[in-house]
Amino acid sequence: MTVGRVNPKFQLQDQGIKGVKKAHYNLNEATLMQRAIERGEGHLGNGGTLLVETGKHTGRSAKDKFFVRDASVEDTIWWENNPPMDPDAFDRLYEDMLEHMKGGELFVQDLYGGADPAHRLNVRLVLELSWHGLFIRHMLRRPAASELDDFVAEFTIINLPSFQANPERHGCRSETVIAISLARKTILIGGTSYAGENKKSVFTVLNYLLPEKGVMPMHCSANHAHGDPHDAAVFFGLSGTGKTTLSADPNRTLLGDDEHGWTDKTTFNFEGGCYAKTINLSADAEPEIFATTSMFGTVIENMVYDKDTLELDFSDDSLTSNMRCAYPLHYIDNASETSIAGTPRNIIMLTCDAFGVLPPISKLSPEQAMYHFLSGFTSKMAGLEKGITETQPTFSTCFGAPFMPRRPEVYGNLLRKKIEQSGAQCWLVNTGWTGGPKGAGGSRMPIRATRALLTAALSGGLNEREFRTDPNFGFEVPISAKGVAKVLLDPKRTWEDKEGYDTQAAKLAQMFRDNFKQYEPHVDEDVMKIAI
């Protein structure tokens, strides 16, 4: 049985998916919510939100993601970062998942990955859960109804949370699996209800495809000045560093909060929505994002709430600290209607420094930008991945190593080329700790200070200030900035234990040097000259 609007020549049976009891094609938000509630997948929340829990998987299963290793990708995949799967194992996994679907009810969404028609990817998602359909309708770009009549997917994602993989039979690590076959243009997800796997799979594929077209794929948020889409800024950073919060600036127009492409002429969002962390979210600090948590159709994921009043508890992380909400971009008042802007004038690299030694903002040369982009230093925040229970300092190259199929130098060299062509100014912004390490005297960088410094950087006002050279890391640091205490701009002054600061700074600098050794054979001499 078929329900919904679909290309009559591109139904599941045309893809070899047969024996399905009922297929719901491209249901709208209200219908997906209704089906999810009827099926017991979630509960109706205040304002018409959908309250869901994802069980034991409350973050990405990074160690369970595989690329099929065949001749077509043998020389292009970064295998040290992307565990391989044998083609025969993928075939067995695919056939077993097809068998698992027989007699079941599926929710199919045909969507675009990418706002720029010249570079977007047609994606079909075949989903076991109705609420996953609602989630991905928010997160990707929705075709017009008339476009569905001849929609044909370039990639297909099959996501069956109830399917349990067999490591011996399927060549994976556990009962959870995310398997990507670029040759077959198919992604298989099983054994996890965490919805973020859907969108990150699309991002991973775009990260592979776009560099061949000269397009830089970026794990970043982006915005532009009101009325001037050519004054664009991008914010690189891992989850938890502030991409969503800092790009949702009421004084600028939002392109998106997580994934973008940079062409010779444009910056464009891959997505059609936002997936924001809600731990300690407040109406005072982040009013626009907070407001979405009581808007119709917003997916509230893994949040504790009062069973009688349905009021959300933004401080209770007993389910996970990675609690989130997913909503369409137009729920943010200042969101761009097109999600396309000019090339970036400013590049912000966000890091969450748990050591408490990096300044709140630093100016980078193009060579330093490439160095810090390849380094990708931050701290993994608790809950973002399965097994991460406390903050961990880490280096995640390109500020998104889990989503990078190609070697880091491919993205680093492409970024450097884009910076040189555009003349963009680069900044390193620390949203982590100051005054000491996390848990040992330090406190989180005040968000108001970060916003003030970003406003000054994006307006050009910060360039007019006097800078000093940081003795440990070599980048330029402003001595003063409007609305920011001078002491905050010099991290050592915020520490009571000055010798302790020197020890921590030296430790972090050595971590940078040790990590960057892996890239030394692949970067130019001028990048090595500025290495820490």
Side-chain angles (χ1 to χ4, degrees), residues 224-292:
H224 67 76
H226 286 328
D228 186 4
H230 296 288
D231 185 5
V234 299
F235 301 74
F236 285 103
L238 291 178
S239 297
T241 56
K243 294 195 313 299
T244 300
T245 298
L246 296 172
S247 58
D249 184 339
N251 297 311
R252 293 176 65 86
T253 299
L254 177 68
L255 288 183
D257 80 326
D258 199 30
E259 298 160 2
H260 292 79
W262 181 353
T263 75
D264 290 339
K265 297 180 179 179
T266 66
T267 305
F268 68 95
N269 192 358
F270 289 169
E271 301 182 294
C274 299
Y275 191 31
K277 290 196 72 176
T278 55
I279 182 72
N280 297 322
L281 185 68
S282 74
D284 291 335
E286 301 169 76
E288 296 239 318
I289 299 174
F290 186 87
T292 69

Side-chain angles (χ1 to χ4, degrees), residues 29 97 109 117 137 152 156 173 185 197-198 219 245 349 428 511 518:
E29 290 78 357
M97 292 185 80
Q109 288 288 319
R137 274 185 71 83
V152 176
T156 297
R173 191 185 68 98
K185 298 185 176 182
E197 300 288 8
N198 294 301
H219 187 211
T245 298
M349 297 185 182
L428 182 68
M511 287 178 65
Q518 62 185 304

Side-chain angles (χ1 to χ4, degrees), residues 27-44:
L27 300 184
N28 64 20
E29 290 78 357
T31 308
L32 287 166
M33 282 192 64
Q34 181 180 5
R35 296 296 294 124
I37 293 169
E38 290 172 350
R39 288 160 52 91
E41 296 175 7
H43 300 279
L44 186 66

Side-chain angles (χ1 to χ4, degrees), residues 19 34 69 101 362 372 375 451-452 483 517:
Q34 181 180 5
R69 190 167 194 164
M101 286 188 279
S362 310
H372 284 279
S375 297
R451 286 194 181 279
K517 288 178 181 178

